């Protein structure tokens, strides 16, 4: 009981330490991994934010000089001096419309000293500014002070967000009116989304009044980040900056965790809007030209996926390490027990009688004899495979001789011609004949090398085998035999490269055996064709070799793979298909044969794909 209590207490301590180690491993991995993820996101966000600020600055800067240049146009002065002269007002409206088209501004309009619009580019539209009073607009008031002013607001008649430029029109050193230009904020948003913005980012531009004036997300526009002060609310109402549109607040909560490095200047926020809640990685930057705070938000969903992956990887690694430690400990215990058992066994063996010792010696001798017999059997099997390969090469000797005799005959002819040309000092023709002789020697070398490679003994070492390359090598070996027999090959390879695991030389021998048998089976056919197809079916390589011969007798089809069974008179030992069947089985595959419905035999090799 005391021993059992100590064992339980020890197991409890080990389990507690293991759990604490797992928690610490996950936490350390999270600290390192998520810090890198956040730094990478910060770098991407910073680049995107700089692009955004530069883009907005460039757009706003393009229109800065237009009101000042336009204010000096004589038509503006003439219209302000004679506002009742309809012909001048018409020319003014047409001028403003043309300039609006050229500059791609939203609207351009001229306001007199009293704040009444006397001409506008939209003078023919229902939303025309003509006759409207803009004295309440700060950009009009600032322009009357003699300087270029900027302003952003929602248009009174159009209801669209715009950025305004205003510049005084001076006549005889007196400010007689203001020329104003409006650009559409919606156009800027849309253009930026199409040309620059990455799909994984969203942007908000917050004005000094804390209202989100520009955003690529409609549900965030005209919202405030946090609550507005009472003074700012009263100022918005007085300026009619956002007309009658309701300005509500976005519920933004800082959810930054300890994995986010403090030196990045970024935040993790939970944003709640009309479309629900979402968590974002937030970065902001001040755009000094317009005094706007530009925010860039990106979803943390990809980062959370990486965080979950880190948890899985760290936990899996830790558990694997613990498993290895436990396994090593168990191995050590088993080794100790085994050593103790061996020592006990040795002690008992020594106590045996001399007869038992003699029996033991005899038993060892029998085991040695069996091992020697097994080794001899394996050697005989290898020799038998090699003999079958050489027999197969012998069966193809006629076609090989024919293939070699042609280059040899040509070699003799070119050599005799070269001697004749040499005697006549025709060096160019001698050189040409020697080049032809070299080419024929190379051809002979290629033919012989194919059969040398095939006739080599297998090393017995399994490797990754390229199915298509082995098939092409086998076809190359039997091509002379096929050519002599007038057999046509049709090869239907798989589009993707396929590999199996096994002995490449033996696998090639199987293919050569099957192709050679198919060629012999077509000896009585008028039109001879062999079709080879390779496919990938359910993680298995399927190789089909079909001939259009007479097929296999139904009584013989179950005996095809038996050793020494053959239907060929005075040819072979009947071992080719039996050996091929064993080689494919040793590669964890199957070799089957059937008669095709359209005639002929079809041999099918099925091997597991080696990924």
């Amino acid at each position: 009981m005391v021993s059992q209590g100590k064992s339980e207490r020890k197991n409890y301590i080990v389990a507690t330490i293991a759990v604490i180690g797992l928690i610490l491993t996950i936490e350390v991995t999270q600290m390192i991994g998520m810090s890198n993820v956040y730094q990478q996101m910060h770098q991407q966000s910073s680049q995107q934010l700089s692009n955004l600020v530069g883009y907005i600055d460039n757009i706003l800067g393009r229109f800065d000089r237009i009101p000042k240049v336009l204010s000096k146009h004589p038509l503006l002065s003439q219209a302000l001096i004679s506002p009742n002269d309809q012909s001048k007002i018409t020319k003014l409206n047409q001028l403003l419309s043309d300039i609006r088209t050229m500059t791609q501004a939203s609207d351009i309009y001229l306001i007199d000293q009293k704040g009444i619009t006397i001409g506008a580019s939209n003078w023919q539209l229902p939303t025309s500014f003509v006759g409207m009073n803009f004295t309440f607009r700060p950009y009009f008031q600032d322009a009357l002070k003699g300087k270029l002013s900027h302003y952003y607001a929602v248009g009174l008649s159009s209801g669209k967000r715009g950025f305004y430029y205003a510049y005084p029109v001076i006549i005889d050193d007196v400010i007689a009116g203001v020329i104003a230009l409006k650009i559409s904020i919606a156009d800027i948003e849309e253009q930026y989304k199409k040309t620059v913005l990455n799909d994984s980012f969203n942007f908000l531009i917050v004005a000094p009044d804390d209202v989100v004036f520009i955003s690529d997300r409609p549900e965030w526009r005209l919202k405030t980040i946090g609550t507005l002060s009472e003074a700012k609310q009263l100022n918005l109402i007085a300026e009619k900056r956002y007309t009658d549109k309701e300005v509500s607040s976005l519920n933004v909560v800082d959810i930054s965790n300890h994995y986010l490095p403090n030196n990045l200047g970024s935040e993790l926020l939970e944003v709640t809007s009309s479309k629900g809640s979402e968590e974002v990685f937030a970065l902001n930057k001040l755009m000094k030209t317009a005094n706007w705070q530009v925010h860039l938000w990106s979803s943390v969903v990809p980062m959370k996926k990486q965080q979950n992956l880190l948890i899985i990887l760290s936990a899996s690694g830790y558990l694997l390490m613990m498993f290895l430690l436990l396994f090593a400990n168990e191995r050590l215990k088993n080794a100790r027990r085994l050593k103790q058992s061996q020592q006990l066994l040795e002690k008992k063996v020594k106590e045996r009688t001399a007869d038992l010792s003699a029996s033991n010696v005899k038993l060892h001798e029998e085991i040695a004899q069996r091992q020697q017999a097994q080794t001899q059997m394996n050697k005989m099997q290898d020799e038998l495979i090699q003999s079958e390969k050489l027999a197969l090469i012998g069966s193809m000797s006629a076609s090989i001789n024919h293939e070699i005799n042609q280059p040899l005959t040509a070699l003799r002819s070119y050599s005799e011609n070269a001697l004749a040309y040499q005697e006549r000092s025709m060096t160019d023709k001698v050189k040409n004949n020697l080049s032809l002789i070299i080419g024929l020697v190379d051809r002979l070398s290629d033919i012989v090398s194919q059969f040398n490679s095939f006739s080599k003994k297998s090393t017995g070492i399994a490797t990754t085998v390229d199915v298509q390359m082995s098939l092409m090598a086998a076809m190359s070996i039997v091509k002379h035999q096929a050519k002599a027999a007038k057999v046509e090959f049709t090869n239907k390879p798989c589009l993707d490269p396929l590999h199996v695991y096994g002995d490449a030389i033996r696998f090639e021998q199987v293919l050569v055996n099957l192709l050679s048998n198919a060629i012999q089976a077509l000896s009585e056919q008028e039109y001879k064709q062999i079709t080879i197809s390779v496919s990938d079916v359910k993680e298995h390589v399927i190789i089909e070799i079909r001939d259009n011969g007479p097929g296999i007798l139904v009584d013989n089809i179950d005996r095809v793979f038996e050793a020494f069974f053959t239907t060929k008179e005075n040819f072979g030992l009947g071992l080719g298909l039996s050996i091929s069947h064993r080689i494919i089985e040793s590669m964890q595959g199957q070799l089957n044969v059937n008669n095709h419905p359209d005639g002929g035999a079809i041999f099918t090799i099925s091997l597991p794909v080696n990924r």
Side-chain angles (χ1 to χ4, degrees), residues 188-247:
I188 296 175
E189 290 171 343
E190 192 65 27
Q191 187 66 20
Y192 186 75
K193 283 171 63 177
K194 290 180 178 178
T195 58
V196 183
L197 186 64
N198 189 304
D199 290 340
S200 59
F201 294 97
N202 299 110
F203 67 90
L204 310 87
I205 297 181
V206 180
D209 58 11
D210 296 335
V211 177
V212 178
F213 190 61
I214 304 175
S215 176
D216 64 319
R217 295 274 292 269
E219 68 270 20
W220 292 347
R221 295 170 190 160
L222 300 185
K223 299 289 191 296
T224 62
I225 299 178
T227 305
L228 287 180
S229 65
E230 185 177 352
K232 288 187 177 181
Q233 289 178 350
L234 294 175
N235 189 44
L236 290 180
I237 296 171
E239 292 182 0
K240 299 182 181 179
R241 187 189 292 267
Y242 304 113
T243 62
D244 57 348
K245 295 184 182 295
E246 181 183 356
V247 177

Side-chain angles (χ1 to χ4, degrees), residues 140-210:
F140 173 75
Q141 299 167 11
D142 290 340
L144 286 180
K145 296 176 183 177
K147 62 179 181 180
L148 175 68
S149 64
H150 300 117
Y151 190 69
Y152 56 92
V154 175
L156 291 174
S157 58
S158 65
K160 296 180 179 179
R161 293 165 297 133
F163 189 77
Y164 298 84
Y165 301 80
Y167 195 81
V169 179
I170 302 173
I171 304 175
D172 296 332
D173 298 329
V174 177
I175 297 176
V178 172
I179 180 69
L181 180 146
K182 175 186 176 182
I183 60 174
S184 172
I185 293 298
D187 292 344
I188 296 175
E189 290 171 343
E190 192 65 27
Q191 187 66 20
Y192 186 75
K193 283 171 63 177
K194 290 180 178 178
T195 58
V196 183
L197 186 64
N198 189 304
D199 290 340
S200 59
F201 294 97
N202 299 110
F203 67 90
L204 310 87
I205 297 181
V206 180
D209 58 11
D210 296 335

Side-chain angles (χ1 to χ4, degrees), residues 52-321:
L52 174 59
V53 172
Y55 179 81
I56 300 295
D57 267 339
N58 182 52
I59 291 293
L60 298 182
R62 279 170 48 194
F63 294 91
D64 259 354
R65 297 183 61 186
I66 294 175
K68 182 177 181 180
V69 174
L70 189 56
S71 69
K72 302 186 185 319
H73 198 285
L75 263 179
L76 274 65
S77 301
Q78 293 172 13
L80 288 171
I81 294 171
S82 305
N84 296 322
D85 189 337
Q86 194 58 43
S87 63
K88 292 180 180 179
I89 297 299
T90 301
K91 289 180 181 179
L92 172 66
N93 289 332
Q94 189 60 51
L95 171 68
L96 298 179
S97 178
D98 292 341
I99 294 175
R100 186 204 71 80
T101 302
M102 288 188 294
T103 60
Q104 296 183 341
S106 177
D107 298 293
I108 304 175
Y109 46 102
L110 178 64
I111 308 170
D112 64 14
Q113 195 176 25
K114 298 178 182 179
I116 305 301
T117 305
I118 63 173
S121 59
N122 61 357
W123 58 284
Q124 290 180 322
L125 301 177
T127 57
S128 172
F129 294 166
V130 176
M132 294 184 66
N133 190 328
F134 289 105
T135 53
F136 65 92
R137 286 298 198 193
Y139 65 80
F140 173 75
Q141 299 167 11
D142 290 340
L144 286 180
K145 296 176 183 177
K147 62 179 181 180
L148 175 68
S149 64
H150 300 117
Y151 190 69
Y152 56 92
V154 175
L156 291 174
S157 58
S158 65
K160 296 180 179 179
R161 293 165 297 133
F163 189 77
Y164 298 84
Y165 301 80
Y167 195 81
V169 179
I170 302 173
I171 304 175
D172 296 332
D173 298 329
V174 177
I175 297 176
V178 172
I179 180 69
L181 180 146
K182 175 186 176 182
I183 60 174
S184 172
I185 293 298
D187 292 344
I188 296 175
E189 290 171 343
E190 192 65 27
Q191 187 66 20
Y192 186 75
K193 283 171 63 177
K194 290 180 178 178
T195 58
V196 183
L197 186 64
N198 189 304
D199 290 340
S200 59
F201 294 97
N202 299 110
F203 67 90
L204 310 87
I205 297 181
V206 180
D209 58 11
D210 296 335
V211 177
V212 178
F213 190 61
I214 304 175
S215 176
D216 64 319
R217 295 274 292 269
E219 68 270 20
W220 292 347
R221 295 170 190 160
L222 300 185
K223 299 289 191 296
T224 62
I225 299 178
T227 305
L228 287 180
S229 65
E230 185 177 352
K232 288 187 177 181
Q233 289 178 350
L234 294 175
N235 189 44
L236 290 180
I237 296 171
E239 292 182 0
K240 299 182 181 179
R241 187 189 292 267
Y242 304 113
T243 62
D244 57 348
K245 295 184 182 295
E246 181 183 356
V247 177
S248 57
S249 63
L250 281 173
N251 187 10
V252 179
V253 180
D254 188 347
I255 56 170
S256 299
N257 53 49
H258 60 284
Y259 300 131
L260 180 66
N262 296 327
N263 60 342
L264 294 182
S266 307
E267 296 177 299
L268 295 177
L269 304 176
E270 183 180 38
V271 182
T272 304
S273 63
S274 58
K275 291 193 175 182
S277 297
E278 57 185 301
E279 296 179 6
V280 297
F281 181 88
L283 190 66
N284 62 79
K285 183 177 182 179
L286 179 65
M287 193 169 73
K288 296 180 180 179
T289 54
N291 196 25
W292 289 347
Q293 196 72 28
V294 182
H295 296 258
L296 196 71
W297 291 354
S298 56
S299 175
V300 300
V301 171
M303 288 181 277
K304 282 189 173 292
K305 290 181 179 179
Q306 293 189 47
Q307 186 175 14
N308 293 336
L309 180 61
L310 285 172
I311 293 173
I312 294 171
L313 290 177
S314 58
S316 301
Y318 179 82
L319 293 175
L320 178 61
M321 183 182 68

Side-chain angles (χ1 to χ4, degrees), residues 323-500:
F323 172 77
L324 292 175
L325 288 174
L326 292 173
F327 178 74
N329 184 52
E330 192 64 26
R331 284 287 301 272
L332 184 61
K333 289 181 180 178
N334 289 338
R336 290 173 181 170
R337 286 195 291 266
L338 181 61
K339 187 175 181 180
Q340 292 173 355
S341 299
Q342 288 176 341
Q343 291 174 347
L344 181 61
L345 182 61
E346 288 175 0
K347 183 178 179 181
K348 289 183 178 180
V349 168
K350 289 178 181 179
E351 295 173 354
R352 298 289 182 180
T353 62
D355 293 339
L356 187 59
S357 298
S359 299
N360 193 32
V361 171
K362 186 177 179 179
L363 182 61
H364 280 294
E365 290 175 354
E366 290 179 358
I367 292 173
Q369 290 173 357
R370 290 188 181 184
Q371 288 177 342
Q372 185 177 2
Q374 181 66 35
T375 302
Q376 290 177 350
M377 187 182 71
N378 291 339
K379 184 177 179 181
M380 289 177 64
Q381 184 178 6
D382 289 340
E383 293 295 334
L384 195 60
I385 290 173
Q386 189 67 14
S387 298
E388 183 66 21
K389 288 167 68 175
L390 295 176
L392 187 61
I393 292 176
S395 71
M396 295 187 288
S397 61
S399 59
I400 298 170
N401 289 337
H402 177 72
E403 196 70 20
I404 291 177
N405 279 337
Q406 287 182 340
L408 287 174
T409 303
L411 275 173
R412 180 177 182 84
S413 176
Y414 286 135
S415 299
E416 291 173 350
N417 288 343
L419 289 172
Y421 289 143
Q422 178 67 29
E423 291 175 356
R424 299 174 190 175
S425 299
M426 299 171 70
T427 57
D428 290 341
K429 291 190 176 182
V430 171
K431 184 178 180 180
N432 182 52
N433 273 29
L434 290 176
S435 298
L436 293 172
I437 288 170
I438 291 171
L440 289 169
V441 171
D442 289 340
R443 179 180 171 189
L444 286 170
S445 176
D446 289 341
I447 294 172
V448 173
S449 65
Q450 293 168 0
F451 291 94
N452 283 342
S453 175
F454 179 68
S455 63
K456 287 180 181 178
K457 283 191 176 182
S458 169
T459 61
I461 299 175
T463 58
T464 299
V465 181
D466 189 315
V467 174
Q468 193 59 33
M469 287 182 64
S470 295
L471 190 56
M472 295 304 293
M475 290 173 65
S476 178
I477 290 172
V478 301
K479 70 178 180 182
H480 310 294
Q481 183 185 4
K483 182 179 178 182
K486 297 181 180 179
V487 175
E488 178 184 343
F489 280 128
T490 301
N491 187 16
K492 298 179 181 178
C494 185
L495 296 178
D496 299 323
L498 296 175
H499 298 83
V500 296

Side-chain angles (χ1 to χ4, degrees), residues 562-574:
E562 290 181 7
F564 303 108
F565 175 77
T566 179
T567 59
K568 305 169 189 175
E569 296 182 1
N570 301 322
F571 184 81
L573 300 175

